[in-house]
Amino acid sequence: MEWQLPVQKLEVGSIYIASPWLRESKNDIKSNPMSALSYIGSQFRLPSLSILFPPLPIVEYNPTSGRLVIDISETSLACTKLAAFQETILQSIFFHQSAWFGTDYSIEEIRSKYTPIYKDNRLILHCPITTYSGSHGAPIYVNGAWDSSYSHLKPGSRIRVAVKLHGISYLYNKPNHINLLAEVPQPPLAATWNGKTRIQHKIMGMIIQP
């Protein structure tokens, strides 16, 4: 079982942002670097960060792209916490970028290249019908039973969602390959962080309110 932290109880100062070069397995080396997120409270510690939101209205859902937008304006506390959470992330990236990537982006550049999970009082999530591995997406509890149909995700429907925040993903430019046909082949350039970041997340489950 994985603990879900109610967003009302979230303390931004208790969120720990790890170095993107701390990998759990050798397979992680093949993917973009990612700063894992954990939660260190005064009385407990969570190795990963999963947030549970109260019932809130759906603004839109696009089954093709998997984009799910939820209006959270009716809970101002959640808005304040998510805004603070994102700003903390951006400031951390700005502060550590030189040591992590050898870059020198301004805070404005980092902010403009960040894909937000929260904007204008709205929670913006990725909710695919099927995952990259081919399995079905997050389960939905509706009308007293678990369902696999995403037809319930309609504008105006109230939904309670649990979201696991895996970490901060840093997008890399692909390195150039050696041109063997050139008279003087140039060595390939190393992959570099292009300044783009996003919160890698997964919806663990959804409850549609009657």
Side-chain angles (χ1 to χ4, degrees), residues 128-147:
I129 296 177
T130 56
T131 64
Y132 294 113
S133 62
S135 59
H136 199 275
I140 298 179
Y141 190 81
V142 59
N143 297 326
W146 290 102
D147 197 338

Side-chain angles (χ1 to χ4, degrees), residues 3-204:
W3 290 99
Q4 307 290 337
L5 185 67
V7 68
Q8 299 91 333
K9 300 292 184 180
L10 178 69
E11 297 295 336
V12 176
S14 297
I15 298 175
Y16 177 73
I17 304 173
S19 165
W21 305 115
L22 294 177
R23 306 302 181 91
E24 294 183 358
S25 68
K26 294 181 179 180
N27 292 332
D28 292 339
I29 297 176
K30 301 177 183 179
S31 59
N32 285 324
M34 185 179 74
S35 292
L37 299 175
S38 57
Y39 194 83
I40 305 176
S42 57
Q43 298 179 341
F44 60 92
R45 177 173 181 170
L46 301 176
S48 60
L49 180 59
S50 295
I51 302 177
L52 179 63
F53 290 86
L56 296 164
I58 295 175
V59 176
E60 64 173 275
Y61 176 64
N62 186 325
T64 302
S65 65
R67 177 184 167 92
L68 174 63
V69 182
I70 301 173
D71 183 1
I72 63 173
S73 60
E74 60 188 61
T75 168
S76 59
L77 182 60
C79 292
T80 300
K81 289 180 179 290
L82 288 178
F85 166 65
Q86 289 196 141
E87 186 60 28
T88 297
I89 285 176
L90 294 173
Q91 293 293 340
S92 179
I93 296 171
F94 174 69
F95 180 80
H96 292 290
Q97 63 169 319
S98 178
W100 287 349
F101 308 109
T103 55
D104 188 27
Y105 292 109
S106 67
I107 186 63
E108 290 78 15
E109 289 177 301
I110 291 175
R111 186 175 284 111
S112 67
K113 294 183 177 183
Y114 166 71
T115 301
I117 196 173
Y118 166 77
K119 183 178 181 180
D120 297 331
N121 295 333
R122 293 181 174 184
L123 185 64
I124 307 167
L125 303 173
H126 182 55
C127 183
I129 296 177
T130 56
T131 64
Y132 294 113
S133 62
S135 59
H136 199 275
I140 298 179
Y141 190 81
V142 59
N143 297 326
W146 290 102
D147 197 338
S148 59
S149 174
Y150 279 21
S151 61
H152 304 288
L153 301 180
K154 300 177 180 179
S157 297
R158 296 185 69 83
I159 184 175
R160 190 171 196 186
V161 60
V163 184
K164 181 176 182 178
L165 306 180
H166 293 286
I168 309 166
S169 179
Y170 305 87
L171 303 185
Y172 258 40
N173 288 326
K174 294 181 179 180
N176 295 330
H177 297 287
I178 297 177
N179 182 2
L180 298 179
L181 299 179
E183 294 183 4
V184 182
Q186 298 296 318
L189 297 175
T192 55
W193 176 49
N194 58 22
K196 295 182 179 180
T197 55
R198 63 183 178 88
I199 300 296
Q200 189 167 320
H201 64 276
K202 178 182 180 181
I203 297 179
M204 305 303 292

